[in-house]
Amino acid sequence: MASAGKERPLPPALPLATLIGRELRAGGSERPTLRYGHAGFAKRGEDYFLVKPDCLRVPGDPSTAFSVFAVFDGHNGVSAAVYSKEHLLEHVMSALPPDIGRDDWLQALPRALVAGFVKADIDFQRKGEVSGTTATLVVVDGFTVTVASVGDSRCILDTQGGEVQLLTVDHRLEENAEERERVTASGGEVGRLNLFGGQEVGPLRCWPGGLCLSRSIGDMDVGEFIVPIPHVKQVKLSNVGGRLIIASDGIWDALPSEAAANACRGLPAELAAKLVVKQALKKSGLKDDTTCVVVDIIPSNYRLTSPQLSPKRNQIKIKSLLFGRRSHSSIGKLGAKSASFGSVEELFEEGSAMLEERLGRNLSLKASSPPFRCAICQVDQEHSEGLMTENGGSYCSSPCSPWGGPYLCLDCRKKKDAMEGKRSSHSTACR
């Protein structure tokens, strides 16, 4: 989040392979330990969360382990949130190339997240249900954290030095001018609820539908300019680790990011999640569903069950590790060396709603000759079946706008054009 005063220029991003190589040379090749917890209270019962700590890139190979955590805040029913919890990760994984190493896998992950979110939206809308959901999906592989999000369920990172970083962007029309411009440019209308007599009340909404968000999964009763294309950010933590707090807007409407982080410092993840929820309820009451997932990424050299420590002293050590509060004097004694040691490297960030910018040209694995694989739904098709190629070949008689991205099947190209306001996804003719 932005801080007061003059902004310092960001250091140039380093290639992921460089960072991993640096970690290996420094002897930090051991994977961190993850500790996690969750808590929540239901008002409407539309919040869902996902915890999958033991995923494998290569089945049977524990060295390829990664973990996934997610929060889904449904609206207009629970169907979209339930579907996303059960299938979103599957769609993301299907978009990743097989048989590649960790470096390439992490570099391909941001694009696969975009493809997976769009695929989930297309498949859910085929069910004909009008429910929608936010989605914040977090992938933790070693000290590398990748976050994809649509809507206003937020993920923050609390580092050992006490610096709080926002890893998501809120897609609320009230607060995001860039998204308001995109929606109106795509054919939507943005305004407040209009009561009898012309009085406008409440937050800015998108019409038709009246949704306060500009991005979500589902919501087929709202215009196609409400898109499922996620903001994606990938960072690499230093070897001191960090704490992730993933929560629905029931938390963030009550607590600023810094307040949520400060409230639970020094506590293990399970208690931390409960305390964040408790503080949110104390601040504003139970106005909405509140869901919080806390993930601690702990260096492997911090043994949580040391035989040399008594249970009480071991508990103190754990609390100190989990970002316990420090006095101003102790912070001052750490010096510049510790500040550098606890830094976070930004590897990737992109929030564009244009698929051509997000997918690029090289996501498709089978693009040189038939059959062609759609970069979103991963279905193989012959060119004669109505495929959109990167050379601009169209799937209908009159030419559509040139497409510079990877191959898209008929349905996914229709979805792309509909999201950009060029046609209805249910239409069969170009405009």
Side-chain angles (χ1 to χ4, degrees), residues 25 72 100 121 138 141 167 183 205 212 249 298 301-302 307-308 322 341 363 365 404:
R25 288 191 298 272
F72 308 98
I100 59 175
D121 181 76
V138 181
D141 187 322
L167 301 184
V183 168
R205 300 174 184 272
C212 299
D249 68 336
I298 304 170
N301 57 314
Y302 285 88
Q308 286 79 22
L322 299 180
F341 183 70
L363 180 62
L365 299 178

Side-chain angles (χ1 to χ4, degrees), residues 44-48 72-88 120-121 123-125 127-134 217-220:
R44 300 183 181 89
E46 295 175 329
D47 274 11
Y48 286 80
F72 308 98
D73 182 358
H75 47 263
N76 203 14
V78 302
S79 299
V82 171
Y83 177 87
S84 298
K85 175 182 177 178
E86 294 177 349
H87 298 288
L88 178 57
D121 181 76
D123 281 5
F124 178 75
Q125 288 193 357
K127 296 177 176 290
E129 300 186 45
V130 296
S131 173
T133 186
T134 73
I217 291 175
D219 289 309
M220 70 171 298

Side-chain angles (χ1 to χ4, degrees), residues 94-161:
S94 71
L96 282 162
D99 304 323
I100 59 175
R102 181 185 178 226
D103 293 3
D104 292 337
W105 190 88
L106 286 171
Q107 289 176 347
L109 183 57
R111 289 178 298 179
L113 285 161
V114 173
F117 271 61
V118 176
K119 168 68 167 149
D121 181 76
I122 292 173
D123 281 5
F124 178 75
Q125 288 193 357
R126 284 175 179 156
K127 296 177 176 290
E129 300 186 45
V130 296
S131 173
T133 186
T134 73
T136 297
L137 187 74
V138 181
V139 180
V140 181
D141 187 322
F143 288 102
T144 301
V145 177
T146 310
V147 184
S149 63
V150 292
D152 56 2
S153 295
R154 190 180 298 172
C155 175
I156 66 172
L157 168 65
D158 189 15
T159 63
Q160 174 77 2

